[in-house]
């Protein structure tokens, strides 16, 4: 009777108490350490942060600590060294082939004093604002062979604006302390800017070429010669002839070659020793058209 009664009470008792205990345990499991329930978002974030990365390494949980990438610019190519400066008059004391060689430019060191003292020139870079002319050709430096004026030498082109006797020029640039005639060399120069007196018809330049205009003169020994004038007759004197042909003097013609000559009826011809020139009358020139030709 006693066993039966106890068993009956257990079987017939209510299941409410065990069920309540189980619910309480579950409730405790869902609470945070401070007693408040975790939100769904917090739980999801915790799960995502602890999930393994696809490569097997844990996913980063904070900002990256890798050092920033620094771009180092590639070094620029080094500039070529500047060319050596052109020698100046103060650094040149001896006349050599390097002094005012072909291609160099010059500036005015001192202006001309009437016909007493010609202008003095010194070498400067062609980019200089003071450069006024460029050497187009130059004779080799040598011991003096003659005192023939530079204008009579045939080394320069017909469009040369002026010729520089380099020995005296260097002496003037150095205060006349160097020997002006110890050696001899000549430079042919053309102005960097207009005017160009050496151009045909402009009445200047050391050479007389085709297209230039002249008046008739004679040398000291009575041989025909010429003086150049402008072709437009703007000067105090008027030209009489225009050069139509120029060639090597027959005296300098190579052996076996036929010397050149002026055409029949040429109004005037003359030689400067190296070149022979043929000239015709200028229309309207004084003593001009119809006058008989003169030959040298």
């Amino acid at each position: 009777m006693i066993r039966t009664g106890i068993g009956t009470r257990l079987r017939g008792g209510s299941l409410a108490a065990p069920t309540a205990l189980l619910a309480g345990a579950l409730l405790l499991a869902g609470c945070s350490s401070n007693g408040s329930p975790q939100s769904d978002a917090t739980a999801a974030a915790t799960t995502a942060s602890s999930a393994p990365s696809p490569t097997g390494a844990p996913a980063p949980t904070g900002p990256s600590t890798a050092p920033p990438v620094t771009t180092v610019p590639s070094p620029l190519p080094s500039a070529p060294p500047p060319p050596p400066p052109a020698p100046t008059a103060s650094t040149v004391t001896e006349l050599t082939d390097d002094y005012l060689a072909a291609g160099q430019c010059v500036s005015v060191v001192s202006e001309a004093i009437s016909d007493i003292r010609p202008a003095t020139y010194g070498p400067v870079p062609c980019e200089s604002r003071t450069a006024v002319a460029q050497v187009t050709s130059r004779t080799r430096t040598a011991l003096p062979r003659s005192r023939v004026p530079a204008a009579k030498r045939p080394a320069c082109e017909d469009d040369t604006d002026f010729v520089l006797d380099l020995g005296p020029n260097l002496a003037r640039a150095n205060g006349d302390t160097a020997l002006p005639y110890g050696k001899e060399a000549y430079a042919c120069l053309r102005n960097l800017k207009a005017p160009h007196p050496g151009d045909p018809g402009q009445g200047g330049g050391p050479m007389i070429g085709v297209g230039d205009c002249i008046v008739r003169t004679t040398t000291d020994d009575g041989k025909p010669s010429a003086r150049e004038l402008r072709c437009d007759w703007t000067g105090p004197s008027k030209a009489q002839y225009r050069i139509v042909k120029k060639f090597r003097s027959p005296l300098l013609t190579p052996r076996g070659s036929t010397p050149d000559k002026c055409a029949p009826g040429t109004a005037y011809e003359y030689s400067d020793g190296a070149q022979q020139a043929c000239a015709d009358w200028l229309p309207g020139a004084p003593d001009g058209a119809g006058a008989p030709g003169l030959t040298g």
Side-chain angles (χ1 to χ4, degrees), residues 68-247:
V69 178
T70 302
T71 303
V72 179
S74 59
L76 296 175
S78 58
T88 61
S90 61
T91 61
V92 180
T93 57
E94 182 181 0
L95 181 59
T96 65
D97 286 343
D98 294 331
Y99 178 64
L100 294 187
Q104 291 186 15
C105 291
V106 300
S107 64
V108 179
V109 175
S110 61
E111 298 286 350
I113 303 176
S114 185
D115 294 333
I116 303 173
R117 183 185 179 98
T120 302
Y121 298 87
V124 293
C126 291
E127 305 81 39
S128 172
R129 291 184 298 175
T130 62
V132 296
Q134 186 173 29
V135 180
T136 55
S137 63
R138 185 191 190 277
T139 63
R140 296 187 62 182
T141 303
L143 294 176
R145 294 166 295 183
S146 65
R147 289 292 172 258
V148 178
K152 297 293 185 180
R153 294 178 174 267
C156 297
E157 297 294 332
D158 286 345
D159 63 354
T160 299
D161 288 328
F162 64 99
V163 171
L164 202 56
D165 191 347
L166 297 183
N169 181 80
L170 181 58
R172 293 192 302 271
N174 287 317
D176 292 327
T177 57
L179 294 176
Y181 298 110
K183 292 183 180 180
E184 182 182 67
Y186 297 89
C188 311
L189 295 101
R190 183 166 172 84
N191 296 330
L192 294 177
K193 297 180 180 179
H196 293 287
D199 284 350
Q202 296 303 306
M207 316 302 292
I208 299 178
V210 175
D212 286 330
C213 293
I214 60 172
V215 293
R216 183 176 57 201
T217 62
T218 57
T219 62
D220 293 339
D221 56 2
K223 293 182 179 180
S225 185
R227 179 166 60 93
E228 185 179 359
L229 294 174
R230 292 182 62 91
C231 291
D232 57 10
W233 297 347
T234 57
S237 301
K238 294 184 178 182
Q240 297 171 299
Y241 309 91
R242 187 193 302 271
I243 305 296
V244 295
K245 186 177 181 180
K246 187 178 178 182
F247 52 89

Side-chain angles (χ1 to χ4, degrees), residues 251-294:
L251 297 177
L252 301 177
T253 301
R255 186 184 299 273
S257 300
T258 302
D260 203 348
K261 58 183 180 180
C262 297
T266 298
Y268 185 61
E269 59 181 283
Y270 73 97
S271 174
D272 62 7
Q275 300 284 321
Q276 189 86 6
C278 313
D280 285 343
W281 287 105
L282 276 174
D287 300 328
L294 300 176

Side-chain angles (χ1 to χ4, degrees), residues 14-97:
S14 174
L15 297 178
T19 303
L21 292 175
L22 179 59
L26 294 174
L27 180 61
L28 289 175
C31 293
S32 61
S33 59
N34 58 3
S36 61
Q38 293 182 339
S39 65
D40 294 342
T42 303
T46 303
T47 303
S49 64
S50 60
S53 64
T55 58
T61 58
S64 172
T65 59
V69 178
T70 302
T71 303
V72 179
S74 59
L76 296 175
S78 58
T88 61
S90 61
T91 61
V92 180
T93 57
E94 182 181 0
L95 181 59
T96 65
D97 286 343

